[in-house]
Amino acid sequence: MSQSIQFNKHYDLYLMIIFMSLATAVISAMGIGAALIAEVSRLGINPLSIRADTLGDYMSSPLAIVYNMSLVIAGMCLMLAMLARYFVFEDGYSRLITVTGAALGVLIVLIGIFPINFLEQHRLFSTGYLICTFLLHCFCFLEYFRKRSALTSPLFALNIIGLIFSIILMSLLNWSTLDFDPCHHSGYEICWMSLVMWILTQTNILWCMVLAVDMKKRIKYQQHHLSNLSLAGN
């Protein structure tokens, strides 16, 4: 009975995690994708030579408003997903992960509000985003080895990828300026810093999608488990 009460108490919160995580992934992917396609079509260059954050430049990017607004909305969705997660996973370490995820959502919103046109603020919030991404993947990596961990193997794999590429990106960051040194390449060549940035961005988007799928599986498993307990009781 206590399991049933606990599950019913958290059912709406599980749904919020699912829908808000999916919204974070879909909205950010659509906004970034639309801005990237517009930029590549306009300049006719390799998309891997473009820094992701330059898509928010109001002076040069044709769909900068779409890119920036998608970040603002996606960041708010991530914050709501983490708010729900805070009350579902109530142990201290899980809440540390949740608070880190919520901070990441706040930083995504601030990056959308202060794109690269606001260079000083953008550098500060982008560096915070990078550090927060590293911490989130680091905490989730350690969470996988705890007893009764809610972290699944697909999420763990994405955490490893996110951890590796966030470390690489931090090593490429010029900490004196909180920015990356320019790539010296033609428009048709790959900028390796941009490539790492894109991989990390896509990893974070996939992480949100897999989180939503895992929460859906968790709901189905608990419903099935409680149904079996009810039948056994009868």
Side-chain angles (χ1 to χ4, degrees):
M1 181 65 69
S2 61
Q3 285 182 318
S4 178
I5 293 173
Q6 189 74 2
F7 175 70
N8 290 330
K9 173 186 174 183
H10 289 157
Y11 183 75
D12 289 342
L13 296 177
Y14 277 121
L15 291 180
M16 179 176 285
I17 296 172
I18 292 171
F19 290 124
M20 290 299 100
S21 297
L22 279 177
T24 301
V26 172
I27 292 170
S28 57
M30 290 179 64
I32 293 170
L36 181 62
I37 290 171
E39 187 74 357
V40 171
S41 300
R42 182 175 69 91
L43 300 177
I45 59 176
N46 189 333
L48 296 181
S49 68
I50 301 173
R51 273 180 54 170
D53 54 355
T54 59
L55 296 174
D57 187 351
Y58 288 114
M59 303 302 293
S60 62
S61 178
L63 290 183
I65 185 64
V66 174
Y67 175 87
N68 293 324
M69 286 307 300
S70 71
L71 292 185
V72 172
I73 298 170
M76 292 175 68
C77 290
L78 182 58
M79 290 163 58
L80 288 173
M82 292 298 108
L83 177 63
R85 192 183 189 279
Y86 185 86
F87 292 103
V88 170
F89 301 98
E90 298 178 352
D91 63 284
Y93 192 81
S94 293
R95 284 187 164 177
L96 175 62
I97 293 174
T98 301
V99 170
T100 306
L104 186 64
V106 172
L107 288 165
I108 292 172
V109 171
L110 290 172
I111 290 171
I113 296 174
F114 297 98
I116 203 166
N117 303 92
F118 303 89
L119 190 57
E120 185 176 347
Q121 295 92 336
H122 182 78
R123 285 174 171 174
L124 181 63
F125 297 137
S126 295
T127 303
Y129 167 84
L130 180 56
I131 294 171
C132 207
T133 297
F134 166 75
L135 291 175
L136 179 63
H137 289 303
C138 187
F139 292 152
C140 288
F141 177 86
L142 296 174
E143 162 71 14
Y144 185 75
F145 299 101
R146 296 176 70 226
K147 290 182 179 180
R148 298 182 181 179
S149 172
L151 207 69
T152 61
S153 296
L155 268 179
F156 180 65
L158 287 172
N159 281 318
I160 293 175
I161 296 171
L163 197 56
I164 291 171
F165 283 93
S166 60
I167 291 172
I168 294 173
L169 206 56
M170 285 193 294
S171 70
L172 295 173
L173 183 68
N174 185 334
W175 291 92
S176 62
T177 61
L178 298 182
D179 204 347
F180 299 97
D181 296 328
C183 283
H184 299 289
H185 65 286
S186 68
Y188 298 98
E189 295 175 345
I190 295 175
C191 172
W192 295 107
M193 178 270 295
S194 296
L195 175 62
V196 173
M197 189 180 291
W198 280 116
I199 292 174
L200 185 59
T201 300
Q202 298 307 312
T203 299
N204 288 341
I205 290 173
L206 284 173
W207 189 88
C208 290
M209 294 184 70
V210 174
L211 176 64
V213 172
D214 284 351
M215 287 297 104
K216 185 177 180 181
K217 290 180 179 178
R218 193 180 182 91
I219 285 179
K220 288 184 176 180
Y221 170 79
Q222 291 194 355
Q223 285 177 330
H224 180 70
H225 179 64
L226 292 173
S227 177
N228 289 340
L229 287 176
S230 178
L231 289 173
N234 295 331

